């Protein structure tokens, strides 16, 4: 079979155009084996290829090279040609595929949910054997609309819209039509239009008519024109949705904690209120201790495994033993009465129920083709995960370094441990069973959401637990001598220390980021949109040394630390001992310890000069201090602990762990006691150095890091990608996110420009998600009470209300604030469920303080918020539901 590739692309001397694709004749996607095209003049390039391998289709892409080095390629979405068996010659006329102005419409959020089309085909008989196929990308077509074509010839209706031909959408968002080339006289003038289900024209594409002037086709030849884009000028498409952790859902059928059955019911509520997005928090397994500390959803022990607490027991099946069934029914009633999640009890009894059901039905389930297929497809992660869970419980610790002969992961040993004939297999098979049930239930919810036009939006944590399966199995990808966190921000003045290991990006890049790509692919099993938690971590991560508990003495990695000579060029004399060793002037000690000062000096401090003290060796790191005060909760002990932590932070420069002769200025150093001791000239010099280091020095460096990491990752997924870009944002972040069309996160009370107290909602970018609050913040009603002066300014200056602000955020005020967010240009307005509730006095919770999900400054926060009314009643809450529906409609959102 002969295949001829044609494309018009203007190059300069020395540049070559190549084709790479899915078959051996096109290099099997290896650029070095791609086929070089021949130049035919006037920008026209051609490649004639004999395809001898038996294939049904070819995917391919064009790229530009110089000296055999690829320098520029098409957008990641490949050309594709299907061989229908009726032609022995295919001539392809392609247009170079550029990155569309709105990639979001090509994501699975739209192609599988919001704009999903049935795979309708409109086959047309080509009697002559001369076929012309025209393909065009038209993603923004509502479900009740179709793409049609008409033109200046009878076979295309002679420009009569009612005679236009409807295109097939079985390869949506690419539409195509087959024409009999014998009925066409070139040049062919044509245009596309959108019509409704009854084939009535709705609107035409923009600009001038298209013209096609091809050589006449021969018998047995199929000519295919592809790479076209529909030209529209439609209003911005926007929608609304809700964000809520799955564990926070409540229904009459759940078992003390939200589950996948509740998520399905949440889809029903979203559809009823004309919402299109449901955003959840991470749902991965986080079990390390079997205690409430495992409630932290961003500390996954596996990037693949789902948390067993999300199994819907009613969907799992009933227990045959009536006594046991009655026991669990009582436990369910007890847990469902609680205002918040009792994590330990809910997980314990749900797992016990699952064990009973497994004893009852496990043998039958494990023999099904579906279960066996699941295990076979997921074995690379499922077997290590099951072995991890077994060993964690056997040794009663998730710290795999304590697992004796299994402290270092060995594939053969793990395969032996998981053998069906081994003593561990009853437990291993139960773990397999749990993950299978979770997968089937979650896939069912995902399909249900898509069917109802609802997008499920997931959440990708930036880190993994230090004792996770991945850290055990693939330690090459992690830096275990550092802790990931975040620098100080509005959430935490001392920064955040998440405890996660940081990534070995150099090693990940050598593997073409396969670790991340597999992670993305797993998310695609259930989600069509996702949020990258702390996307700044792809630019640089905040790395905290192991000796520190707080995040204040961290540094950015990667970074460009300063040499002593560079520091002194700013006019600051670099006295290493004075500037890098934690110490404190005696005059400041009363501020930290009050009347306990002398006691602290005698017990914990050593004099280093006539005026200064350092921490004694037994307490000279925050980790040592933490151990000393473990379990002490009296006020005096807590104050001493806090003060010693503060002294450990008293440096102006931090030594770089990889280049010990270079240094990082400490973040928020102007708040330190050491800074207060500097002379006026030294302060000025340090300020200039600090400003350049944190706001200028790394801009291009971090931009290059982010592009090299995010570009291949974003190109590897069909999901709509959003980024959580809050905190200390480098100047390079918006540029990278805009070019890759990663949606930003916009929050009114967290402006991204220091000159503003509140974000200007009137000028939000279209490619963004706007929201009233996040799980790390207080919901609207609590925020209203936090800072009375700030609330007053917001009331007068933002809401435009005169007089004194009310003490409470009333339902009308909440509705006004939410309405302002719905009115923005952001494509997605995703509102926390608590803030929707705030708009209705008959629905909202009495105690607004009980609606808080997380307090970032509290590393021991208990993640247990649960909505106060069951979803069954929420679906019937017409006063709120009608209000939401009307507000979404009035805002112009779909």
């Amino acid at each position: 079979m002969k295949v001829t590739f044609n494309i018009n692309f203007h190059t300069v001397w020395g540049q070559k155009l190549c084709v790479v694709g899915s078959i051996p004749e096109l290099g099997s996607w290896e650029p070095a084996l791609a086929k070089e095209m021949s130049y035919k003049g006037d920008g026209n390039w051609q490649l004639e290829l004999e395809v001898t391998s038996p294939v049904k289709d070819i995917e391919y892409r064009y790229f530009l090279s110089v000296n055999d080095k690829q320098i520029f390629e098409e957008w990641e979405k490949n050309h594709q040609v299907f061989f229908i068996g009726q032609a022995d010659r295919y001539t392809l006329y392609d247009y170079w595929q550029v990155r569309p102005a709105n990639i979001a419409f090509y994501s699975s959020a739209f192609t599988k949910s919001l704009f999903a089309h049935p795979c309708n085909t409109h086959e047309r008989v080509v009697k002559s054997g001369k076929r012309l196929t025209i393909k065009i990308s038209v993603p923004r077509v509502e479900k009740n609309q179709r793409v049609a074509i008409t033109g200046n010839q009878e076979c295309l209706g002679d420009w009569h819209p009612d005679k236009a031909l409807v295109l097939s959408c079985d390869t949506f968002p690419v539409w195509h039509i087959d024409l009999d080339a014998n009925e066409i006289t070139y040049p062919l003038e044509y245009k596309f239009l959108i019509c409704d289900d009854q084939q009535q024209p709705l609107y035409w594409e923009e600009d001038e008519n298209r013209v096609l002037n091809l050589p006449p086709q021969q018998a047995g030849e199929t000519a295919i024109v592809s790479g076209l884009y529909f030209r529209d000028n439609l209003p911005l498409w926007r929608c609304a949705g809700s964000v809520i952790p799955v564990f926070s859902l409540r229904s009459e059928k759940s078992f003390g904690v939200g589950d996948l059955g509740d998520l399905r019911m949440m889809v029903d509520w979203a559809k009823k209120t004309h919402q299109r997005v449901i955003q959840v928090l991470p749902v991965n397994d986080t079990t390390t201790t079997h205690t409430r500390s495992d409630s932290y959803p961003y500390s996954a022990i596996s990037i693949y495994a789902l948390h067993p607490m999300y199994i819907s027991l009613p969907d799992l099946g009933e227990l045959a033993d009536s006594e046991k069934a009655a026991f669990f029914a009582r436990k369910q009633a007890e847990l469902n009465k609680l205002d918040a999640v009792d994590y330990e009890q809910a997980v314990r009894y749900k797992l016990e129920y699952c064990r009973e059901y497994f004893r009852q039905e496990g043998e039958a389930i494990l023999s099904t083709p579906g279960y066996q297929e699941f295990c076979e497809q997921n074995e690379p992660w499922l077997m290590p995960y099951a072995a991890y869970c077994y060993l964690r419980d056997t040794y009663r610790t998730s710290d795999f370094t304590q697992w004796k002969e299994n402290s270092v992961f060995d594939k053969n040993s793990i395969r032996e441990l998981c053998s069906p004939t081994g003593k561990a297999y009853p437990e291993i098979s139960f773990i397999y069973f749990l993950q299978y049930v979770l997968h089937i239930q979650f896939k069912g919810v995902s399909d249900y959401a898509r069917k109802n036009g609802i997008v499920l939006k997931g959440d990708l944590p930036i880190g993994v637990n230090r004792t996770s399966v991945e850290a055990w199995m693939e330690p090459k990808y992690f830096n275990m001598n550092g802790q990931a966190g975040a620098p100080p921000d509005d959430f935490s003045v001392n920064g955040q220390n998440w405890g996660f290991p940081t990534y070995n990006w150099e090693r990940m890049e050598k593997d073409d980021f396969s670790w991340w790509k597999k992670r993305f692919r797993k998310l695609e099993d259930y989600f069509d949109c996702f949020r990258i938690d702390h996307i700044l971590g792809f630019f640089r991560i905040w790395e905290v040394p192991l000796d520190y508990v707080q995040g204040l003495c961290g540094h950015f990695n990667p970074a460009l630390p300063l040499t002593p000579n560079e520091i002194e060029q700013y006019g600051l004399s670099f006295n290493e001992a004075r500037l890098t060793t934690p110490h404190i002037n005696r005059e400041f000690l009363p501020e930290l310890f009050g009347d306990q000062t002398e006691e602290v000096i005698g017990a914990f401090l050593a004099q280093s000069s006539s005026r200064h003290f350092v921490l004694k060796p037994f307490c000279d790191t925050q980790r040592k201090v933490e151990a000393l005060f473990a379990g002490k909760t009296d006020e005096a002990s807590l104050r001493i602990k806090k003060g010693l932590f503060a002294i450990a932070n008293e440096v102006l420069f931090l030594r770089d762990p990889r280049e010990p002769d270079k240094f990082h200025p400490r973040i928020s150093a102007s708040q330190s006691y050491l800074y207060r001791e500097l002379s006026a000239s030294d302060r000025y010099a340090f300020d200039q150095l600090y400003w350049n280091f944190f706001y200028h020095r790394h801009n291009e460096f971090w931009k290059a890091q982010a592009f090299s990491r995010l570009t291949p990752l974003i190109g590897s997924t069909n999901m709509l990608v959003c980024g959580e870009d809050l905190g200390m944002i480098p100047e390079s972040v918006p540029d990278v996110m805009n070019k890759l069309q990663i949606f930003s996160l916009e929050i009114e009370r967290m402006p991204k420009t220091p000159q503003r107290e509140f974000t200007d909602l009137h000028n939000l970018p279209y490619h963004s998600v706007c929201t009233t609050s996040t799980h790390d913040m207080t919901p609207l009603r609590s925020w209203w009470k936090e800072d009375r002066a700030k609330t007053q300014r917001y009331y007068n200056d933002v809401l435009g209300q005169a007089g004194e602000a009310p003490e409470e955020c009333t339902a009308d005020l909440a509705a006004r604030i939410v309405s302002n967010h719905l009115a923005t240009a952001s494509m997605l307005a995703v509102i926390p469920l608590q803030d929707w509730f705030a708009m209705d006095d008959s629905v909202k919770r009495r105690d607004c303080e009980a609606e808080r999900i997380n307090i970032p400054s509290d590393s021991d926060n208990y993640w247990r918020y649960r909505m106060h009314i069951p979803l069954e009643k929420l679906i019937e809450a017409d006063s709120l539901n009608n209000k939401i529906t009307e507000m979404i409609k009035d805002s112009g959102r779909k």
Side-chain angles (χ1 to χ4, degrees):
M1 180 173 57
K2 185 176 182 180
V3 181
T4 303
F5 299 82
N6 296 277
I7 191 167
N8 186 274
F9 190 88
H10 291 277
T11 60
V12 298
W13 182 258
Q15 295 179 337
K16 297 183 296 186
L17 216 57
C18 302
V19 188
V20 66
S22 59
I23 59 174
E25 290 88 343
L26 289 176
S28 298
W29 294 117
E30 286 291 337
L33 302 177
K35 285 290 188 294
E36 183 179 332
M37 304 186 78
S38 300
Y39 186 63
K40 301 298 182 181
D42 295 326
N44 295 311
W45 295 78
Q46 188 177 83
L47 170 67
E48 293 186 348
L49 194 71
E50 282 291 336
V51 178
T52 57
S53 52
V55 291
K56 295 181 179 179
D57 67 285
I58 298 176
E59 287 190 57
Y60 61 97
R61 199 155 67 230
Y62 297 95
F63 69 86
L64 193 66
S65 71
V66 175
N67 298 325
D68 296 323
K69 183 178 181 181
Q70 182 175 327
I71 62 170
F72 182 61
E73 66 175 345
E74 292 185 284
W75 180 45
E76 294 88 351
K77 302 302 179 185
N78 305 322
H79 297 271
Q80 189 169 23
V81 55
F82 294 92
F83 303 120
I84 55 178
Q86 300 173 357
D88 52 21
R89 180 179 177 186
Y90 287 83
T91 307
L92 314 179
Y93 298 95
D94 294 322
Y95 290 83
W96 185 274
Q97 294 198 131
V98 297
R99 180 177 287 267
N102 206 325
I103 293 176
F105 291 145
Y106 291 83
S107 70
S108 60
F110 287 88
T111 61
K112 290 186 177 181
S113 180
L114 298 171
F115 293 164
H117 279 70
C119 293
N120 291 336
T121 58
H122 300 275
E123 295 185 11
R124 292 176 175 80
V125 178
V126 180
K127 297 179 180 178
S128 69
K130 305 174 185 178
R131 185 184 304 269
L132 171 64
T133 300
I134 300 177
K135 301 162 73 173
I136 182 170
S137 291
V138 198
R140 187 175 171 180
V141 185
E142 302 283 353
K143 293 183 177 182
N144 60 344
Q145 299 174 350
R146 304 289 179 262
V147 179
I149 184 174
T150 187
N152 66 346
Q153 298 182 24
E154 185 178 354
C155 64
L156 290 182
D158 280 329
W159 293 118
H160 292 291
D162 56 332
K163 295 182 180 179
L165 304 181
V166 176
L167 279 67
S168 299
C169 61
D170 53 316
T171 55
F172 182 77
V174 176
W175 302 68
H176 63 92
I177 188 168
D178 294 333
L179 301 172
D180 192 330
N182 224 30
E183 301 174 0
I184 296 172
T185 302
Y186 294 111
L188 170 65
E189 196 170 342
Y190 66 102
K191 208 166 190 180
F192 297 98
L193 65 153
I194 305 299
C195 58
D196 61 19
D197 280 336
Q198 284 70 48
Q199 220 166 315
Q200 294 301 307
L202 297 174
Y203 59 90
W204 293 74
E205 68 173 330
E206 297 283 309
D207 300 331
E208 69 281 351
N209 298 335
R210 299 178 185 266
V211 178
L212 191 61
N213 197 2
L214 302 179
Q217 278 85 68
Q218 305 299 314
E221 179 184 3
T222 292
I224 302 175
V225 177
S226 76
L228 301 175
Y229 292 90
F230 191 85
R231 306 180 301 237
D232 65 42
N233 189 25
L234 298 171
L236 299 181
W237 189 96
R238 302 171 302 135
C239 70
S242 295
V243 55
I244 185 74
V246 176
F247 65 76
S248 297
L249 297 173
R250 177 193 291 266
S251 77
E252 294 168 0
K253 294 181 179 180
S254 54
F255 205 104
V257 63
D259 58 38
L260 292 169
D262 298 337
L263 186 57
R264 178 187 287 262
M265 207 178 302
M266 185 72 180
V267 170
D268 294 334
W269 178 71
K271 184 177 182 180
K272 181 172 183 176
T273 52
H274 290 210
Q275 299 182 61
R276 308 300 293 273
V277 179
I278 297 174
Q279 178 179 329
V280 299
L281 268 55
V283 289
N284 295 90
D285 192 358
T286 55
T287 309
T288 59
T289 65
H290 297 288
T291 67
R292 74 173 210 174
S293 64
D294 296 340
S295 67
Y296 179 29
Y298 288 88
S299 186
I301 62 164
S302 169
I303 59 175
Y304 304 106
L306 301 172
H307 200 304
M309 72 176 175
Y310 294 123
I311 289 177
S312 167
L313 298 185
D315 293 335
L316 177 63
E318 295 182 358
L319 297 181
D321 188 315
S322 59
E323 286 189 16
K324 291 178 179 176
F327 169 79
F328 286 110
R330 290 194 299 273
K331 286 297 177 185
Q332 179 186 28
E334 291 173 13
L335 292 170
N336 273 350
K337 286 180 181 178
L338 300 178
D339 288 337
V341 175
D342 185 330
Y343 178 87
E344 293 175 20
Q345 295 292 306
V347 172
R348 173 188 171 185
Y349 288 110
K350 289 194 77 168
L351 280 176
E352 284 188 13
Y353 185 103
C354 291
R355 283 190 186 278
E356 290 295 336
Y357 190 80
F358 183 65
R359 293 187 187 101
Q360 175 182 306
E361 306 290 346
E363 186 175 343
I365 292 173
L366 267 56
S367 63
T368 61
Y371 169 82
Q372 292 167 2
E373 182 183 1
F374 169 79
C375 289
E376 182 179 338
Q377 291 179 351
N378 295 278
E379 183 185 286
W381 68 263
L382 183 61
M383 185 179 291
Y385 163 75
Y388 172 96
C389 293
Y390 175 80
L391 293 168
R392 173 200 63 206
D393 295 344
T394 298
Y395 288 102
R396 297 187 178 182
T397 178
S398 63
D399 182 0
F400 47 79
T401 64
Q402 306 299 313
W403 291 353
K404 298 181 180 179
E405 65 270 16
N406 289 302
S407 60
V408 175
F409 180 83
D410 178 75
K411 189 173 182 179
N412 292 330
S413 298
I414 296 309
R415 186 170 293 279
E416 183 178 347
L417 175 68
C418 297
S419 169
T421 59
K423 67 175 184 178
Y425 193 69
E427 184 65 19
I428 295 293
S429 60
F430 176 62
I431 297 167
Y432 288 169
F433 161 79
L434 292 175
Q435 290 302 312
Y436 171 65
V437 170
L438 284 160
H439 173 73
I440 294 301
Q441 290 191 359
F442 209 164
K443 197 73 174 66
V445 175
S446 179
D447 292 342
Y448 184 72
R450 287 170 179 155
K451 180 182 176 182
N452 284 279
I454 305 295
V455 173
L456 291 186
K457 181 183 178 186
D459 197 344
L460 183 83
I462 188 63
V464 298
N465 191 287
R466 181 171 294 276
T467 60
S468 64
V469 180
E470 280 70 38
W472 174 50
M473 186 181 177
E474 301 176 294
K476 62 186 178 182
Y477 291 134
F478 303 95
N479 298 317
M480 301 300 288
N481 59 350
Q483 307 170 99
D489 57 19
D490 290 346
F491 297 142
S492 179
V493 295
N494 288 317
Q496 298 178 51
N497 181 358
W498 306 321
F500 308 140
T502 57
Y503 293 117
N504 183 345
W505 285 106
E506 293 78 10
R507 183 57 189 263
M508 287 179 160
E509 188 168 15
K510 287 180 181 178
D511 292 345
D512 195 28
F513 303 105
S514 61
W515 188 87
W516 284 98
K517 290 177 180 178
K518 287 185 289 186
R519 197 176 179 188
F520 282 18
R521 283 197 292 272
K522 184 60 179 175
L523 276 178
E524 286 181 336
D525 283 349
Y526 316 114
F527 300 106
D528 291 315
C529 176
F530 73 106
R531 183 195 85 137
I532 299 177
D533 167 52
H534 194 68
I535 196 172
L536 304 184
F538 285 86
F539 293 75
R540 78 293 184 273
I541 198 72
W542 188 249
E543 187 173 77
V544 183
L546 290 177
D547 284 340
Y548 284 88
V549 175
Q550 297 174 331
L552 202 58
C553 279
H555 62 275
F556 288 123
N557 178 26
L560 303 171
L562 298 161
T563 65
N565 184 52
E566 286 179 299
I567 293 171
E568 294 191 338
Q569 286 178 2
Y570 284 90
L572 180 67
S573 177
F574 186 70
N575 182 323
E576 185 175 323
R578 171 173 165 254
L579 299 178
T580 66
T581 303
H583 62 280
I584 190 165
N585 193 309
R586 184 185 185 104
E587 71 174 277
F588 301 128
L589 291 176
E591 294 184 32
L592 293 174
F593 304 107
D595 56 11
Q596 296 170 289
T597 297
E598 294 304 320
E599 175 190 345
V600 169
I601 290 175
F604 301 101
L605 305 181
Q607 198 152 5
S608 59
S609 75
S610 60
R611 294 183 301 151
H612 293 90
F613 290 90
V614 296
L615 295 167
K616 290 181 177 180
F618 75 92
C619 62
D620 61 358
T621 70
Q622 289 187 344
R623 288 292 172 197
K624 291 179 181 179
V625 172
E626 182 181 48
L628 281 173
F629 288 86
K632 297 181 180 179
T633 57
D634 60 284
E635 187 176 337
S637 294
L638 292 177
R639 180 169 187 177
I640 294 174
K641 177 183 174 182
K642 182 180 179 182
L644 297 178
F645 270 14
I647 294 175
N649 287 329
E650 279 297 306
V651 294
L652 292 185
F653 288 92
L654 301 153
R655 191 183 303 276
D656 186 85
R658 295 164 185 83
E659 299 181 88
D661 57 339
K662 295 182 180 180
F663 301 86
H664 303 255
R666 201 209 81 179
I667 197 82
S668 301
S670 62
Q671 307 300 314
S672 72
Y673 294 109
L674 283 182
Y675 180 85
R676 286 160 63 175
E677 287 195 82
L678 295 178
S679 65
S681 60
D682 280 350
R683 283 188 194 180
Y684 178 81
F686 184 84
D687 290 345
Q688 298 304 304
L689 174 153
Y690 185 97
W691 180 259
N692 180 269
F693 186 87
F694 284 111
Y695 297 101
H696 295 287
R697 182 178 177 91
H698 296 91
N699 285 341
E700 293 305 313
F701 176 65
W702 284 337
K703 180 187 291 189
Q705 297 291 323
F707 270 127
S708 69
R709 298 167 184 176
L710 286 170
T711 301
L713 294 180
I714 300 306
S716 72
T717 181
N718 290 317
M719 294 181 288
L720 177 61
V721 184
C722 307
E724 184 261 296
D725 55 336
L726 304 178
M728 188 176 180
I729 305 171
E731 189 178 291
S732 54
V733 171
D735 187 38
V736 172
M737 293 181 69
N738 288 338
K739 287 183 178 177
L740 296 179
Q741 290 194 35
I742 300 172
F743 282 31
S744 63
L745 179 60
E746 307 295 337
I747 301 175
E748 189 173 34
R749 63 179 110 153
M750 282 195 73
K752 293 177 178 174
T753 53
Q755 298 80 18
R756 299 189 64 93
E757 185 175 22
F758 302 102
T759 299
D760 180 8
L761 295 184
H762 298 290
N763 289 295
L764 295 188
Y766 178 51
H767 292 137
S768 69
V769 181
C770 76
T771 186
T772 49
S773 54
T774 75
H775 61 269
D776 284 327
M777 299 175 168
T778 47
L780 272 180
R781 290 194 296 150
S782 297
W783 170 76
W784 192 267
K785 297 180 177 182
E786 279 180 356
D787 184 334
R788 183 66 188 166
K790 190 171 187 176
T791 300
Q792 185 64 54
R793 292 192 296 274
Y794 179 81
Y795 183 73
N796 298 143
D797 301 339
V798 177
L799 297 183
Q801 301 296 305
E804 186 175 347
E807 292 290 333
E808 303 283 338
C809 182
T810 64
D812 288 343
L813 281 170
R816 172 78 180 275
I817 295 169
V818 171
S819 180
N820 288 346
H821 285 74
L822 293 176
T824 64
S826 299
M827 180 186 282
L828 308 181
V830 183
I831 308 299
L833 198 62
Q834 304 96 307
D835 291 349
W836 284 124
F837 289 169
M839 303 191 311
D840 194 302
D841 290 334
S842 66
V843 172
K844 68 186 182 186
R845 198 178 202 133
R846 285 188 179 182
D847 179 14
C848 63
E849 300 304 321
E851 294 178 328
R852 182 78 186 258
I853 295 175
N854 180 42
I855 303 173
S857 59
D858 178 9
S859 59
D860 193 37
N861 183 74
Y862 189 0
W863 297 66
R864 61 188 314 218
Y865 165 71
R866 198 170 185 214
M867 54 189 288
H868 62 291
I869 61 171
L871 283 156
E872 291 88 348
K873 289 188 177 179
L874 178 61
I875 290 173
E876 296 173 355
D878 290 340
S879 61
L880 173 62
N881 296 337
N882 292 338
K883 184 180 290 187
I884 293 173
T885 301
E886 287 302 312
M887 288 172 63
I888 292 173
K889 180 180 177 182
D890 291 346
S891 72
R893 293 184 180 269
K894 298 293 185 179

